[in-house]
Amino acid sequence: MSYTNETLATRIDARFSEKVTRIKSICGELTYQLDKDDLIEVARALRDEPEFHFEMLIDVCGVDYLTYGTVEWTTESATESGFSRGVKFEPIILDEADTFDPERFVLVYHLLSLKNNIRLRLRVYTGDTNPPIVKSVVEIWNSANWFEREAFDLFGILFEGHPDLRRILTDYGFIGHPFRKDFPLIGNVEVKYDADKGRVVYQPVTIEPRTLVPKVIRDDNRYSEALKDSISDA
């Protein structure tokens, strides 16, 4: 049996009414947003009820919207106002703030129903608490174990009820969460082998920051409007 997205959307809207909101998708994927307090209830129903039967969690992705929508380039010739993570500009350090913007961090859950041959995405904002906390879905989908550890490691999102929440990609002595937009490009610490101590030790980072974007944007005839028109006419 195979559902269409609209068939599934009709059933989700009827079942969960005001608990979920459909999000427009430019790639045609069915996506719903819900409050983090409703996550466990909705997730369990999506797994257990036969009209949904999302028995598989494909992935859990974290997103940091700290600088979302900020234009990187504001000129077409030379620039000091454009930036990337390698350009020297006043850093935004929010790790020590009491609260975050409630829509800064989001978790995206990718679900698959093998029985009904259809996919679904759920989007959950973590709220304004620091650190951000969302309930774990490990008891619903065991595959969430490593996915949630990854989101914790890279974004600093905590998962209430996770059986073994610890870093999975970075080292135990790593400081910070490298996928956060306010994480410094060169990091906070580095490791080296200390011959006197006979072991690897941590020390403050000594790498000099580098600018990774050009200071001058040069003209290139490959992008000439006249040249493009002549090529298209040929």
Side-chain angles (χ1 to χ4, degrees), residues 118-157:
I118 200 164
R119 297 174 184 267
L120 176 68
R121 293 193 301 180
L122 301 179
R123 189 172 78 177
V124 178
Y125 284 104
T126 62
D128 62 357
T129 58
N130 183 15
I133 302 176
V134 175
K135 291 182 179 178
S136 172
V137 296
V138 169
E139 291 188 358
I140 300 174
W141 296 290
N142 190 53
S143 61
N145 193 318
W146 280 24
F147 299 147
E148 290 180 351
R149 284 180 59 187
E150 182 181 44
F152 160 69
D153 191 0
L154 301 180
F155 292 95
I157 300 172

Side-chain angles (χ1 to χ4, degrees), residues 13-191:
D13 292 339
R15 171 63 176 83
F16 301 107
S17 61
E18 298 180 356
K19 289 186 181 295
V20 298
T21 302
R22 187 171 179 178
I23 304 300
K24 185 177 180 180
S25 172
I26 62 174
C27 57
E29 295 185 0
L30 189 59
T31 305
Y32 279 89
Q33 181 174 312
L34 65 155
D35 189 272
K36 66 177 184 177
D37 293 332
D38 296 323
L39 173 61
I40 300 302
E41 176 189 348
V42 172
R44 184 170 283 113
L46 288 173
R47 183 197 66 179
D48 295 342
E49 297 181 10
E51 62 267 38
F52 306 119
H53 207 279
F54 286 97
E55 69 270 43
M56 184 175 294
L57 175 69
I58 299 297
D59 199 5
V60 180
C61 305
V63 182
D64 183 358
Y65 283 119
L66 179 62
T67 56
Y68 180 74
T70 304
V71 177
E72 184 165 347
W73 297 105
T74 59
T75 176
E76 295 181 356
S77 55
T79 182
E80 290 182 355
S81 56
F83 67 90
S84 78
R85 295 185 66 191
V87 175
K88 294 181 181 179
F89 64 95
E90 190 65 28
I92 307 170
I93 305 300
L94 299 178
D95 284 346
E96 297 181 0
D98 294 331
T99 60
F100 290 131
D101 183 303
E103 293 188 351
R104 176 182 174 182
F105 293 108
V106 68
L107 291 164
V108 182
Y109 298 80
H110 297 255
L111 309 181
L112 171 64
S113 172
L114 297 174
K115 176 183 177 182
N116 297 319
N117 188 31
I118 200 164
R119 297 174 184 267
L120 176 68
R121 293 193 301 180
L122 301 179
R123 189 172 78 177
V124 178
Y125 284 104
T126 62
D128 62 357
T129 58
N130 183 15
I133 302 176
V134 175
K135 291 182 179 178
S136 172
V137 296
V138 169
E139 291 188 358
I140 300 174
W141 296 290
N142 190 53
S143 61
N145 193 318
W146 280 24
F147 299 147
E148 290 180 351
R149 284 180 59 187
E150 182 181 44
F152 160 69
D153 191 0
L154 301 180
F155 292 95
I157 300 172
L158 302 182
F159 293 89
E160 180 182 344
H162 190 284
D164 186 24
L165 193 61
R166 54 194 169 94
R167 293 187 181 273
I168 191 172
L169 295 175
T170 61
D171 192 23
Y172 295 114
F174 193 87
I175 297 175
H177 304 283
F179 277 17
R180 286 190 175 187
K181 295 296 180 64
D182 55 1
F183 184 81
L185 183 66
I186 60 175
N188 295 305
V189 296
E190 64 184 23
V191 296

